[in-house]
């Protein structure tokens, strides 16, 4: 096959795959025949055949003898998804490199290969990376999603097309993927216990929070306040703008809880003698609830392999891992 013919095949293969993902062809639909498609697209019939064959090999199409070519339908996990595992992630979080290292160690221990695609917290890059990977036969994805604007419909279609997926940390998916994240209820419980006799706590989070984990931590804070019959205050601030804490709110608080360590470190210069607590366990300047990266990575891989290697019907799982208090350096 000449290089020019190969590029035409790749281009047409990508075109068909995107049309499936964007809903122009639904799972189970019959695609037009090779001759009809070649004439309509201005390409050779052999180019159409080769593209269909590649998509069939990736598990996206099904060729039925005497009937035609159909979009595949997978209602469970993909048991034949290969040994390539792709991690879609940014490196913007302070603990992202720790998680990537833990993932690489777990995947290598099983004799498989980890493919890292940096998404820069961009929904567009996440979607494009997933389409490219699955279109090239990588059917095991671990997604650390961006949050706001995430292209959930595309990833839900990827499940139907036979992609095994586990989401990590930020966003709990629908019924098309497993989820692994920190036990935020336990995090706030342990931080309140560590704080002692709390009377007027303040919780500082992100304005217009885009992540499920932010909402979960705020909800857990409110739950702990209700248990203690105390009036807590939630303050949401912009992560991009200079930090401004209303003096009346800051003065009223006896303890400050931050949505993560990065926020806690922003608050620390304004706290005076007040204790500031964080969640992540990355900084020894504050008391924090440490995320157990190795345990989280182990569970992610375990769930992914359960989809790939397991028997029986797959059902999505949501797993929350407990961490531990990490004391600050005196």
């Amino acid at each position: 096959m000449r290089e020019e013919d190969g590029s035409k095949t790749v281009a047409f293969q990508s075109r068909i795959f995107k049309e499936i993902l964007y809903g122009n062809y639904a799972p189970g639909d019959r695609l037009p025949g090779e001759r009809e498609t070649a004439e309509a697209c201005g390409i050779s019939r052999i180019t159409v055949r080769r593209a269909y064959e590649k998509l069939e090999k990736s598990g996206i199409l099904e060729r039925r003898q005497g009937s035609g070519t159909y979009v595949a339908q997978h209602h469970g996990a993909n048991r034949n998804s290969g040994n390539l595992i792709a991690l879609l992630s940014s490196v913007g979080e302070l603990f992202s490199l720790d998680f990537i290292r833990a993932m690489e160690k777990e995947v290598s221990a099983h004799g498989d290969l980890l493919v890292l695609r940096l998404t820069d917290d961009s929904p567009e890059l996440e979607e494009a990376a997933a389409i490219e990977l699955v279109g090239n036969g990588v059917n095991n994805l671990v997604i650390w999603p961006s949050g706001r604007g995430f292209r959930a419909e595309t990833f839900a279609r990827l499940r139907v097309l036979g992609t095994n997926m586990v989401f990590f940390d930020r966003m709990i998916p629908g019924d098309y993927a497993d989820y692994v994240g920190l036990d935020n209820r336990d995090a706030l419980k342990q931080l309140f216990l560590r704080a002692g006799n709390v009377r007027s706590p303040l919780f500082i989070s992100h304005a217009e929070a885009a992540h499920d984990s932010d909402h979960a931590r705020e909800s857990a804070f409110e739950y702990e306040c209700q248990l203690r019959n105390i009036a807590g205050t939630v303050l949401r601030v912009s992560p991009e703008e200079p930090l401004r804490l209303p003096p009346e709110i800051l003065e009223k608080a006896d303890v400050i809880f931050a949505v993560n360590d990065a926020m806690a470190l922003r608050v620390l210069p304004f706290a005076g003698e007040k204790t500031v607590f964080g969640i992540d366990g990355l900084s020894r300047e504050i008391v924090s609830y440490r995320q157990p990266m190795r345990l989280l990575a182990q569970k992610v891989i375990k769930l992914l392999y359960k989809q790939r290697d397991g028997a029986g019907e797959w059902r999505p799982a949501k797993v929350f891992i407990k961490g531990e208090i990490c004391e600050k350096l005196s």
Side-chain angles (χ1 to χ4, degrees):
M1 182 172 61
R2 299 197 310 271
E3 183 177 348
E4 180 181 356
D5 293 336
S7 63
K8 287 183 178 179
T9 299
V10 170
F12 182 68
Q13 174 186 345
S14 176
R15 172 179 171 179
I16 292 297
F17 185 45
K18 288 179 180 178
E19 287 194 18
I20 294 170
L21 280 182
Y22 297 145
N24 295 331
Y25 294 110
D29 281 358
R30 183 181 183 277
L31 271 64
E34 292 176 3
R35 186 186 302 277
E36 179 185 351
T37 300
E39 293 176 355
C41 298
I43 57 178
S44 69
R45 187 173 177 179
I46 192 66
T47 296
V48 176
R49 181 179 301 126
R50 286 169 176 162
Y52 280 2
E53 287 173 352
K54 287 179 177 292
L55 290 170
E56 181 185 20
K57 188 176 181 180
S58 297
I60 294 165
L61 297 182
E62 295 176 353
R63 312 292 293 276
R64 302 176 188 172
Q65 187 69 30
S67 179
T69 302
Y70 294 81
V71 180
Q73 299 181 88
H74 298 267
H75 298 290
N78 186 346
R79 314 297 184 196
N80 301 297
S81 57
N83 71 333
L84 291 176
I85 295 173
L87 172 60
L88 278 60
S89 172
S90 75
V91 291
E93 296 285 357
L94 292 173
F95 55 87
S96 57
L97 291 179
D98 289 340
F99 182 70
I100 292 169
R101 290 191 186 99
M103 281 286 299
E104 198 278 333
K105 184 175 181 179
E106 289 301 315
V107 171
S108 296
H110 289 82
D112 293 333
L113 298 174
L114 182 68
V115 178
L116 175 63
R117 292 300 300 267
L118 299 180
T119 56
D120 298 330
D121 283 343
S122 164
E124 293 80 13
L125 289 178
E126 286 171 331
E127 183 180 55
I131 290 172
E132 179 186 351
L133 288 162
V134 176
N136 283 284
V138 181
N139 290 306
N140 300 297
L141 302 183
V142 176
I143 302 107
W144 196 343
S146 55
R148 188 184 300 111
F150 182 77
R151 309 293 175 80
E153 289 185 0
T154 297
F155 284 82
R157 290 192 185 102
L158 287 174
R159 161 61 68 186
V160 178
L161 294 175
T163 304
N164 299 322
M165 289 182 285
V166 180
F167 279 53
F168 171 68
D169 184 45
R170 291 174 170 174
M171 177 181 149
I172 299 176
D175 59 3
Y176 57 88
D178 291 324
Y179 171 82
V180 175
L182 188 69
D183 188 334
N184 292 299
R185 177 65 65 83
D186 185 69
L188 269 297
K189 174 183 177 181
Q190 298 304 326
L191 289 174
F192 264 86
L193 291 173
R194 173 60 178 77
N197 186 25
V198 179
R199 300 180 304 279
S200 182
L202 171 63
F203 183 86
I204 301 181
S205 186
H206 299 121
E208 301 178 359
H211 304 148
D212 290 346
S213 56
D214 291 351
H215 295 295
R217 292 172 188 181
E218 182 178 319
S219 176
F221 168 79
E222 293 172 340
Y223 177 77
E224 292 298 323
C225 290
Q226 291 174 4
L227 282 180
R228 291 162 173 77
N229 196 27
I230 57 178
T233 301
V234 174
L235 180 64
R236 303 180 184 92
V237 300
S238 170
E240 288 85 22
E241 298 177 2
L243 184 62
R244 294 183 178 86
L245 301 178
E248 63 277 12
I249 293 180
L250 190 60
E251 182 178 350
K252 177 184 175 184
D254 58 350
V255 174
I256 301 174
F257 298 95
V259 70
N260 56 25
D261 280 8
M263 182 67 76
L265 292 176
R266 291 184 68 196
V267 171
L268 194 59
F270 302 90
E273 297 298 319
K274 303 178 192 295
T275 304
V276 179
F277 295 94
I279 298 176
D280 284 337
L282 297 171
S283 174
R284 301 306 297 273
E285 296 182 56
I286 56 173
V287 178
S288 183
Y289 187 87
R290 188 198 304 274
Q291 298 215 52
M293 287 302 157
R294 185 177 178 184
L295 290 177
L296 289 163
Q298 287 175 343
K299 193 61 182 181
V300 166
I301 294 303
K302 183 176 181 179
L303 287 176
L304 195 64
Y305 286 163
K306 186 176 181 181
Q307 293 181 43
R308 190 190 71 175
D309 304 330
E313 191 173 359
W314 172 80
R315 288 285 186 273
K318 296 177 178 61
V319 178
F320 302 94
I321 305 293
K322 289 180 170 57
E324 60 184 3
I325 295 292
C326 178
E327 297 291 343
K328 69 177 181 178
L329 293 174
S330 55

